[in-house]
Amino acid sequence: MPTLPAMYRPLIILGLLGAFTAQGRQAGTEMLRPDQPEPPAHLLTDINLLGGEYGDETAPIPNDSLTQSLTGLHARAHRAGLEFLVENAFSYNSIHHPAPDKPGTQLWYLLHAHANYRLIQAPWNRETWLKLELSGSTALTGKTWRGGNMNDAIGLTGDTHTDIFGERIFFLPEIALLQTFNRGKSALVAGIVNQTNYFDTNSYANSSFGQFCASPFVNNQVIPMADSNLGLIFQHQFHDQWYAMLGGNFTGCPQNASPLKHTDGKNFNILAELAWVHDSGAVKLTPFMARTNELPDGEERKNLHTVAGIALNVEQQLGGSPWKAFCRAGWSDSTRDNLCGAAVQWSGGFVCSQPLQQLGVCEEGEANQFGIALAVTRPDDGSMAEGRARNKKEVVMECHYNISVTPWFLIQPSLLWISNPAGRDDTGNASVFRLQTILTF
């Protein structure tokens, strides 16, 4: 199993020591009561921090002993200035029409952990936070191990499962400091930054742990976002319903490597976002540009090339109904050197909360939901396999149904259908039946 880069170890140790030291010490602001007004910078708080609440109290088994322990642990940690979330998933995948040399049945373990620790709290809502994030996946059977990355079996432009990285890969997408100022209405994030935590976020399609799994539904692949790289983001909420962000990352460092050793300064991106957030939805506009001089492994580097474009992200609850809709659209001015594999992409879908309860079949927890989404992608030329027609679009459809059992245990069956996958020349249309069990602590 690969070890974490040496530069990360002291930071992780310091963060954990600080968290344990904070236990039992009264620090930080108390959680808001329902009748309290939202703070001036509540939009930035929602983006940057996790909060102290835990679980879904409407689950069929809402108050077992483990839930009670976890609820108390999260509340005590929050009072001490520590927020954390640990997500585990066991993912069974049955692939119809995989590539000839790839297994049709694959079993994976996925991990995502996120922790924020308040280092300093000063008057006027000025706070300094340490932000740590860990992601990874490992194959659980020998056949899956030999098959390599899940996406290799199909050849989608992005990933059929965005959190399956390889047969045994664990890395740190983010180790950063968050500094708030201007009464909390402005913030600066700097360090090893995971841009996907801040840009292009969506309430209904943003995580494979309980939402959609394929890459087009987690983030717009046209936006050249990076993690595990040095960067910074400046945020400002200038109105109760409006905020703006500007940030940039170096993009030359691969995951599971030290950016201090793999950053040449020639590959970078600049992202901006203007967002309007209202009671039942949000609209976000993201212009971007990136500079790159990299080619696939084994080829010489070429002259620097600039890619620019714009993306739109919309989410909306449909009146007083249980249905919500989301849509993403992105366009790049180039058909090559798009960091995340797409030159043009559109995706959209619907989510329905407690569908069986709405039909009068049975009572359900609030975490129960049905989702269906469709994405159409014009792949970047570098993502196309030899023999694939450049004028054909890649189409992905995914549907899922969440079944909550306890606040920490969720079952999610889903079906993924792919037409004209661009990344291999030996696959045609394919489908994946997926069953995930998700444990959240």
Side-chain angles (χ1 to χ4, degrees):
M1 174 177 176
T3 58
L4 295 172
M7 67 159 290
Y8 294 145
R9 296 172 190 160
L11 292 173
I12 297 173
I13 293 171
L14 285 174
L16 293 176
L17 287 176
F20 286 119
T21 303
Q23 298 301 318
R25 186 180 76 238
Q26 184 66 31
T29 56
E30 297 294 328
M31 288 183 290
L32 290 174
R33 299 185 182 90
D35 58 344
Q36 287 181 309
E38 291 182 323
H42 64 97
L43 299 180
L44 298 187
T45 300
D46 289 345
I47 295 172
N48 295 328
L49 301 177
L50 301 171
E53 297 181 357
Y54 172 76
D56 174 18
E57 297 178 352
T58 65
I61 306 174
N63 201 30
D64 61 288
S65 58
L66 180 55
T67 297
Q68 293 176 16
S69 299
L70 290 170
T71 301
L73 179 60
H74 277 264
R76 290 192 300 273
H78 187 265
R79 289 194 295 269
L82 174 66
E83 308 174 336
F84 69 93
L85 179 70
V86 181
E87 298 173 301
N88 306 265
F90 295 89
S91 182
Y92 167 84
N93 300 267
S94 178
I95 306 171
H96 185 58
H97 290 156
D101 58 339
K102 299 297 179 180
T105 301
Q106 300 193 14
L107 187 62
W108 294 88
Y109 166 72
L110 318 174
L111 171 67
H112 175 250
H114 207 146
N116 301 323
Y117 174 58
R118 183 168 44 245
L119 298 172
I120 302 172
Q121 184 176 24
W124 306 109
N125 201 20
R126 297 195 301 270
E127 297 179 330
T128 305
W129 291 80
L130 173 66
K131 297 170 66 69
L132 300 173
E133 187 178 13
L134 171 66
S135 291
S137 63
T138 186
L140 295 179
T141 65
K143 186 179 291 186
T144 303
W145 181 280
R146 291 186 294 272
N149 188 298
M150 171 74 179
N151 189 55
D152 290 342
I154 297 174
L156 194 64
T157 295
D159 294 307
T160 54
H161 196 305
T162 191
D163 283 300
I164 294 180
F165 307 100
E167 59 272 12
R168 187 179 286 175
I169 294 178
F170 293 89
F171 64 100
L172 296 167
E174 184 163 278
I175 309 175
L177 289 176
L178 165 66
Q179 178 64 55
T180 64
F181 49 97
N182 188 23
R183 296 181 180 270
K185 292 187 290 186
S186 300
L188 181 68
V189 182
I192 300 171
V193 175
N194 181 358
Q195 293 177 319
T196 65
N197 289 335
Y198 309 95
F199 294 93
D200 193 42
T201 59
N202 192 290
S203 300
Y204 313 123
N206 212 75
S207 169
S208 68
F209 293 87
Q211 296 180 338
F212 299 94
C213 293
S215 286
F217 310 122
V218 177
N219 285 113
N220 195 316
Q221 292 174 254
V222 174
I223 306 174
M225 289 188 286
D227 59 29
S228 310
N229 277 262
L230 297 172
L232 58 84
I233 299 172
F234 174 74
Q235 307 167 328
H236 180 61
Q237 182 176 334
F238 53 89
H239 186 272
D240 287 346
Q241 295 180 304
W242 290 86
Y243 72 84
M245 293 192 293
L246 178 66
N249 263 33
F250 293 112
T251 60
C253 179
Q255 294 171 335
N256 206 27
S258 168
L260 298 181
K261 297 180 180 179
H262 293 81
T263 300
D264 57 14
K266 296 180 180 179
N267 299 273
F268 63 90
N269 66 19
I270 298 176
L271 311 178
E273 185 165 284
L274 177 65
W276 172 48
V277 182
H278 55 96
D279 290 341
S280 58
V283 179
K284 303 176 183 181
L285 192 66
T286 305
F288 59 83
M289 66 84 63
R291 291 276 277 174
T292 181
N293 70 338
E294 291 188 351
L295 276 177
D297 294 341
E299 299 186 34
E300 295 182 358
R301 293 192 172 193
K302 59 192 172 188
N303 294 330
L304 285 168
H305 180 64
T306 301
V307 174
I310 194 166
L312 179 69
N313 182 340
V314 179
E315 61 181 77
Q316 179 67 51
Q317 182 171 351
L318 302 181
S321 76
W323 287 92
K324 298 98 172 175
F326 70 92
C327 176
R328 286 186 173 102
W331 169 85
S332 167
D333 70 340
S334 177
T335 60
R336 65 182 178 92
D337 296 326
N338 292 286
L339 184 63
C340 296
V344 180
Q345 187 174 77
W346 174 89
S347 66
F350 297 91
V351 173
C352 179
S353 300
Q354 301 170 296
L356 297 182
Q357 182 172 315
Q358 302 299 328
L359 294 173
V361 177
C362 62
E363 295 289 325
E364 293 187 283
E366 292 178 359
N368 282 34
Q369 70 172 23
F370 168 77
I372 185 168
L374 177 72
V376 180
T377 302
R378 179 184 178 185
D380 176 272
D381 288 345
S383 302
M384 298 290 291
E386 291 294 331
R388 285 292 186 190
R390 295 298 194 266
N391 61 342
K392 287 189 177 181
K393 305 299 187 295
E394 185 179 79
V395 180
V396 180
M397 179 179 288
E398 183 174 349
C399 62
H400 69 256
Y401 179 63
N402 292 349
I403 307 168
S404 66
V405 181
T406 70
W408 50 269
F409 183 44
L410 186 75
I411 301 172
Q412 183 192 53
S414 65
L415 182 64
L416 181 70
W417 177 78
I418 300 134
S419 175
N420 193 40
R424 294 186 68 112
D425 60 0
D426 54 356
T427 58
N429 295 349
S431 61
V432 181
F433 169 75
R434 179 179 292 121
L435 180 64
Q436 290 195 148
T437 56
I438 301 167
L439 294 84
T440 304
F441 305 120

